[in-house]
Amino acid sequence: MERTHLTIILLSAFLVSSLLPHSLNAATGRCNPSDYEVLLKIKQALGNPYHLASWVPNTDCCDWYALQCNDTTNRVVELTIFSGQISGQIPSEVGDLPYLDNLTFRKLSNITGPIPQSITKLKRLRFLRLSWLNLTGPVPDFISELSNLIFLELNFNKFTGPIPSSFSSFTKLGALRLDRNQLSGSIPESFGHFKGIRTRFIPI
Ligand SMILES: *[C@@H]1O[C@H](CO)[C@@H](O)[C@H](O)[C@H]1NC(C)=O
Ligand SMILES: *[C@@H]1O[C@H](CO)[C@@H](O)[C@H](O)[C@H]1NC(C)=O
Ligand SMILES: *[C@@H]1O[C@H](CO)[C@@H](O)[C@H](O)[C@H]1NC(C)=O
Ligand SMILES: *[C@@H]1O[C@H](CO)[C@@H](O)[C@H](O)[C@H]1NC(C)=O
């Protein structure tokens, strides 16, 4: 009897220590470990700006400024970097936050360069706003791989060249903003049969 009790107590202690989320020991709380690593890489790639001062290592990333976690899964579902003193390019690591629903970089005049191709990994993305930045190069064709997009805003940048005709393949898009760039060429013929039914299109 005694022995059985002791065994049960030891077994329970073992189970409790092995089943409790590691978060109780590691200070990162609810934060998903993979999202945590990626966010710290993003912060570093942006030059550790003051705007992301709340992104402190060994704290719960779901409490950090400029992002949101899903309440159930604790995965990062929204990243909104808006109006700060931040210089550099959009870090390619944003493509490694696989549960993102909303991605916004807005009103950051020192964000330059191209849109990283890695964003095509964000298969769940529905809202993409990269506006009032100083992005350059062509409007990338690969954005059309984000087939769940409802809202695409790329206005107020320095994009050049044509509007990709592949953009007509979006089936869920409700709004497309490309105004205030330096686009050239004509509106793609494919836009005559846009798959998204309700698309409001504000060209140049
Ligand atoms: C959070 O994730 C769950 C499970 O994937 C999903 O059902 C729910 O809609 C999400 N909540 C929000 C607010 O997106
Ligand atoms: C993304 O933005 C849309 C529109 O602003 C909002 O309805 C949706 O709840 C947001 N999703 C998340 C995960 O914050
Ligand atoms: C942009 O960069 C310039 C030059 O480094 C700097 O003077 C300016 O304050 C920066 N602006 C913002 C909004 O970060
Ligand atoms: C782009 O940068 C220039 C300064 O180099 C600035 O005057 C302009 O406002 C920026 N564009 C946007 C959309 O922020």
Side-chain angles (χ1 to χ4, degrees):
M1 271 303 183
E2 290 280 319
R3 194 167 265 254
T4 315
H5 274 139
L6 187 64
T7 311
I8 288 172
I9 288 167
L10 285 176
L11 196 64
S12 316
F14 170 75
L15 279 177
V16 166
S17 67
S18 59
L19 291 182
L20 274 181
H22 294 292
S23 52
L24 283 191
N25 302 322
T28 49
R30 295 161 293 169
C31 188
N32 174 274
S34 163
D35 290 349
Y36 173 81
E37 296 295 335
V38 171
L39 289 166
L40 287 180
K41 283 187 197 155
I42 291 173
K43 182 182 178 185
Q44 190 178 20
L46 291 172
N48 295 314
Y50 177 71
H51 192 76
L52 304 180
S54 67
W55 294 21
V56 177
N58 296 314
T59 59
D60 185 347
C61 74
C62 294
D63 291 333
W64 293 355
Y65 183 65
L67 62 83
Q68 258 181 23
C69 294
N70 174 297
D71 287 341
T72 313
T73 62
N74 292 327
R75 299 303 302 246
V76 174
V77 287
E78 178 171 350
L79 180 62
T80 298
I81 308 219
F82 174 74
S83 191
Q85 299 266 343
I86 299 181
S87 301
Q89 301 199 352
I90 296 175
S92 63
E93 288 86 353
V94 295
D96 297 322
L97 294 170
Y99 288 86
L100 275 188
D101 182 33
N102 289 359
L103 176 62
T104 300
F105 280 78
R106 196 158 197 271
K107 295 219 168 171
L108 304 155
S109 56
N110 287 345
I111 293 286
T112 57
I115 297 178
Q117 182 147 15
S118 62
I119 64 162
T120 58
K121 291 189 276 181
L122 301 173
K123 295 302 179 202
R124 291 176 174 80
L125 202 64
R126 292 187 304 150
F127 299 85
L128 179 60
R129 295 184 185 89
L130 305 173
S131 53
W132 295 81
L133 309 170
N134 260 315
L135 299 180
T136 51
V139 174
D141 204 48
F142 57 69
I143 294 179
S144 60
E145 291 173 36
L146 295 168
S147 56
N148 280 314
L149 282 187
I150 293 176
F151 192 90
L152 175 57
E153 190 175 83
L154 301 172
N155 57 342
F156 283 91
N157 279 293
K158 293 206 172 80
F159 290 119
T160 48
I163 299 169
S165 60
S166 62
F167 275 18
S168 62
S169 68
F170 288 117
T171 53
K172 301 176 181 167
L173 203 64
L176 171 61
R177 290 200 169 146
L178 294 167
D179 53 299
R180 304 298 182 107
N181 278 293
Q182 295 157 16
L183 303 180
S184 54
S186 49
I187 309 280
E189 197 172 323
S190 58
F191 277 33
H193 32 92
F194 223 92
K195 293 211 173 70
I197 339 160
R198 294 177 300 112
T199 305
R200 283 183 293 128
F201 174 58
I202 308 162
I204 293 148

